[in-house]
Amino acid sequence: MVKKLIPIILIAGTAFLVMKYVKAPESKKRFIKHLVVQIPYLPGRYYA
Amino acid sequence: MSDYDAIIIGAGLGGLACGAILARSGVKTLILEQSGNTGGCCSSIQHDGFTFDIGPSVVEFKWVWDILFEKLGRKTADYIDFIEIDPIYSFITSDGKRFSYPADLTKTRKTIETLSPDDVKGWDKFVRIGSGMSEIFFKSSMFTPMMTLRDMMIFGIKNPLLSLKLKYVFINFESALKGFFKSEAVRASMGMHAYYLGLPPALCPGYAVFLCYTDHEGVHYPKGGMGSIPKGIEKAYREEDGEIRFGERVIKIITDKNRAAGIRTASGKEITSRVVISNINAKTCYLDLIGRDYLPRWAVKAMESYEYSFANPNLMLGLKDQIGLDAHHTVCHSTIEDMNSAWFDYCLKGKIPSRGFLLLSCPTIEDHSLAPENHHCLNIVTVAPYRLSGGKDWDSIREEYIESRIDIVEKEFHLNLRENIVAAKLNTPKDFERMLLQPEGAIFGIQFDNASSMIFRPRIRSGAIKNLYLVGSSTHLGGGTPTTTASGILAADMILREVF
């Protein structure tokens, strides 16, 4: 039962975050976008 | 047997602070500086009888130098003569109005009340939270290495208030300001502090907003120019038998089995040492001085991913008369929208912004020794891109740029500038790069957003190369005179604990 709920919770959570992003003012969008595009580099940066 | 115990590449504030502590502890230390002066970005130059600061123009957190000189068994006042700045900022609007923020919090409250009576409550709240945040973010974190998640967790446990104010890490500077102040004029007056982290208000982390509070804990200027700070530390370093060689550019950090073992200079000298401390930009240190072939692939990718903050062209003017400024720092008032636009619509597109950030720094208001009698120094600092669009380059637009900045100050802010100018010198981003070897002329080094600060900024103790340590603006805690000095103190403490 719990295993079945996890994907639903993840999808709902992602949808919620996307909705929040879409409705956010331009300034916040820029702030989030600037950080999100750097996520792939964080593991390397952490160890450097 | 190595030639030296420690070699420091670059005599910036971090390198000097680190070197002085190491030398004091009996570590045989050599500093190699490519230019003819100490200080790096925090230097002063002589031009036509005037002393101009090339980079920062005041300091916050004076206590950092007190900690440094205490570690050296000395008193700051014997080496650097700090003068308190008051008012902290004066503002001039395009319709000719003036207002200022004095160091005294109650007096600044009155200024806020005049600007926007509705924001007095917000100011009180700002001061209340600001004093707590000042302790956490700017005092505690200054001397915490912040290299691993463990460091972060310990920091969080030691500073429980942090968890209550964590939201300021996850919102931007602009939103943080909106949480306190309703008036656009008040928010705009504090917006320029985002530029202290080398970012526009939309991209700067929210906690930086409290720099507007820490200003009120004291802003100082060293008598004789900003270059007096590195000179003071250099003096202490030499007294401890530390060695400095000027005009020695390091082109290679020699590694042996993933361990720093020495350096090679442009003149071909190889000098070995037990530890190497880099006081140059982290990207240059890793990618050029060590070299991609000697680094793990992940480290190369990580270094390549860092972006530089914007550049600050600095127009230095010698004036035969005062032009009506009443504070060391006068900010030509702008809007938050213009500050963001200067980055997104201009700098990122290779265009020079005409609005958004214009700081007039007049250090001769406090220190008359910087100019001939009855004369004044004025720095006009703005933001600009390193790469210009339309096939232009900084060397070809030098005169055009000088004229355009003078025009803005005269026409938009009604100051009688042109007829008072007796000396002029412009440092463009290209000049900064040539003089200081600071890539792209980015005086703040690599950007300081959440993804490239704290545990995501290049570590003070390198994670990729053993016995290599980093100090200065591209490691923890980023660009700024107190922070780069603190990085040197942190590195020295770490080296003494781990190596010697």
Side-chain angles (χ1 to χ4, degrees):
Chain A
M1 182 64 185
V2 176
K3 274 188 180 174
K4 279 182 183 172
L5 277 175
I6 289 173
I8 296 167
I9 292 168
L10 283 176
I11 292 166
T14 309
F16 175 75
L17 289 174
V18 169
M19 286 275 284
K20 286 277 277 184
Y21 178 80
V22 169
K23 286 185 177 176
E26 188 57 29
S27 159
K28 280 186 186 170
K29 278 184 188 165
R30 282 169 162 168
F31 181 68
I32 295 164
K33 197 177 159 194
H34 187 70
L35 296 178
V36 167
V37 295
Q38 296 182 74
I39 286 174
Y41 309 117
L42 296 185
R45 288 181 183 182
Y46 176 76
Y47 288 104
Chain B
M1 185 73 182
S2 301
D3 299 323
Y4 287 85
D5 292 327
I7 287 179
I8 300 174
I9 308 166
L13 288 173
L16 286 167
C18 182
I21 296 172
L22 293 179
R24 166 88 175 164
S25 305
V27 175
K28 191 182 173 192
T29 309
L30 170 67
I31 299 179
L32 297 167
E33 167 58 40
Q34 55 90 22
S35 75
N37 287 306
T38 52
C41 297
C42 182
S43 304
S44 307
I45 55 164
Q46 303 289 324
H47 182 75
D48 287 352
F50 294 84
T51 303
F52 293 111
D53 299 319
I54 64 161
S57 49
V58 290
V59 300
E60 287 186 314
F61 311 124
K62 184 176 80 70
W63 46 265
V64 169
W65 289 279
D66 294 337
I67 290 172
L68 170 65
F69 281 98
E70 198 183 314
K71 279 179 179 283
L72 298 174
R74 290 165 166 83
K75 285 181 182 164
T76 312
D78 295 335
Y79 292 81
I80 307 165
D81 184 5
F82 281 114
I83 310 165
E84 191 171 0
I85 304 292
D86 196 5
I88 303 164
Y89 287 104
S90 192
F91 295 88
I92 181 164
T93 62
S94 54
D95 55 3
K97 282 182 192 158
R98 304 264 186 121
F99 61 95
S100 60
Y101 288 155
D104 184 272
L105 288 165
T106 317
K107 286 181 185 166
T108 297
R109 189 180 191 269
K110 278 184 185 156
T111 304
I112 301 270
E113 193 172 11
T114 314
L115 287 171
S116 166
D118 289 348
D119 280 325
V120 173
K121 270 189 180 174
W123 171 253
D124 292 340
K125 182 182 162 195
F126 181 71
V127 169
R128 208 170 48 248
I129 298 177
S131 61
M133 295 300 275
S134 164
E135 285 293 326
I136 302 172
F137 271 118
F138 305 114
K139 289 183 181 162
S140 305
S141 70
M142 193 87 83
F143 291 105
T144 306
M146 216 66 88
M147 294 190 296
T148 60
L149 277 171
R150 185 174 172 272
D151 293 337
M152 289 276 279
M153 279 170 65
I154 293 171
F155 180 69
I157 292 164
K158 282 184 182 171
N159 299 281
L161 181 67
L162 183 68
S163 56
L164 299 174
K165 305 296 173 196
L166 213 53
K167 74 167 186 179
Y168 293 106
V169 176
F170 298 109
I171 60 174
N172 66 9
F173 191 98
E174 199 177 332
S175 304
L177 272 180
K178 276 184 185 164
F180 293 105
F181 305 108
K182 292 172 189 160
S183 149
E184 167 62 28
V186 174
R187 289 202 298 265
S189 69
M190 299 187 184
M192 60 155 281
H193 281 75
Y195 285 120
Y196 278 7
L197 271 69
L199 289 166
L203 301 185
C204 184
Y207 59 81
V209 82
F210 298 107
L211 285 170
C212 308
Y213 167 82
T214 56
D215 273 352
H216 293 271
E217 293 181 341
V219 173
H220 293 82
Y221 185 76
K223 192 168 170 50
M226 291 298 291
S228 304
I229 301 177
K231 280 197 169 63
I233 309 173
E234 180 191 342
K235 189 180 166 203
Y237 172 67
R238 287 185 187 279
E239 286 169 358
E240 296 292 348
D241 294 328
E243 187 184 341
I244 301 188
R245 291 187 204 165
F246 291 107
E248 286 275 26
R249 183 173 174 181
V250 174
I251 55 163
K252 181 82 187 157
I253 293 175
I254 301 164
T255 53
D256 179 22
K257 292 174 190 157
N258 237 24
R259 184 179 290 270
I263 57 90
R264 187 180 306 132
T265 66
S267 57
K269 288 176 209 151
E270 282 196 3
I271 310 170
T272 58
S273 66
R274 288 176 67 189
V275 294
V276 173
I277 299 132
S278 163
N279 188 195
I280 58 168
N281 187 277
K283 284 182 85 162
T284 311
C285 168
Y286 279 105
L287 300 177
D288 299 340
L289 265 55
I290 293 168
R292 289 171 164 79
D293 295 344
Y294 298 90
L295 286 169
R297 201 174 145 72
W298 59 264
V300 173
K301 287 223 163 211
M303 285 304 139
E304 283 174 341
S305 72
Y306 287 113
E307 297 211 17
Y308 295 113
S309 60
F310 49 58
N312 293 106
N314 184 351
L315 174 56
M316 297 165 274
L317 300 174
L319 306 176
K320 64 181 178 186
D321 205 355
Q322 238 285 23
I323 54 164
L325 302 177
D326 58 358
H328 184 109
H329 272 170
T330 300
V331 180
C332 293
H333 203 247
S334 186
T335 62
I336 296 275
E337 199 183 328
D338 281 343
M339 290 178 205
N340 285 328
S341 169
W343 173 256
F344 293 105
D345 303 328
Y346 288 86
C347 290
L348 292 184
K349 293 176 182 171
K351 295 189 283 184
I352 297 171
S354 55
R355 308 185 69 82
F357 175 73
L358 196 76
L359 176 68
L360 307 177
S361 175
C362 185
T364 36
I365 284 181
E366 287 90 15
D367 186 356
H368 303 292
S369 71
L370 304 172
E373 201 174 351
N374 298 324
H375 285 60
H376 285 273
C377 298
L378 183 74
N379 291 49
I380 302 180
V381 185
T382 53
V383 295
Y386 169 75
R387 287 181 193 81
L388 299 172
S389 58
K392 291 180 183 173
D393 69 78
W394 275 102
D395 290 332
S396 66
I397 63 153
R398 196 175 282 273
E399 291 307 315
E400 184 190 325
Y401 181 85
I402 293 174
E403 289 304 314
S404 68
R405 295 309 101 170
I406 294 170
D407 274 348
I408 291 171
V409 173
E410 286 209 323
K411 289 177 185 164
E412 291 192 29
F413 297 98
H414 319 290
L415 293 170
N416 195 14
L417 188 57
R418 192 171 265 110
E419 68 177 33
N420 282 304
I421 298 170
V422 292
K425 183 170 170 55
L426 172 68
N427 270 350
T428 68
K430 267 277 179 217
D431 295 326
F432 278 118
E433 191 175 55
R434 289 183 199 120
M435 261 192 323
L436 307 170
L437 303 184
Q438 186 75 322
E440 300 193 2
I443 204 156
F444 293 95
I446 54 181
Q447 289 182 5
F448 197 87
D449 52 34
N450 287 336
S452 42
S453 59
M454 303 288 176
I455 55 171
F456 299 122
R457 205 161 181 82
R459 292 182 179 185
I460 288 181
R461 184 207 307 113
S462 170
I465 300 289
K466 290 191 180 93
N467 289 359
L468 174 68
Y469 292 80
L470 278 77
V471 296
S473 61
S474 50
T475 186
H476 178 67
L477 243 160
T481 46
T483 47
T484 51
T485 305
S487 73
I489 300 172
L490 269 173
D493 287 348
M494 219 181 278
I495 292 165
L496 290 172
R497 205 169 49 241
E498 296 168 359
V499 185
F500 297 110

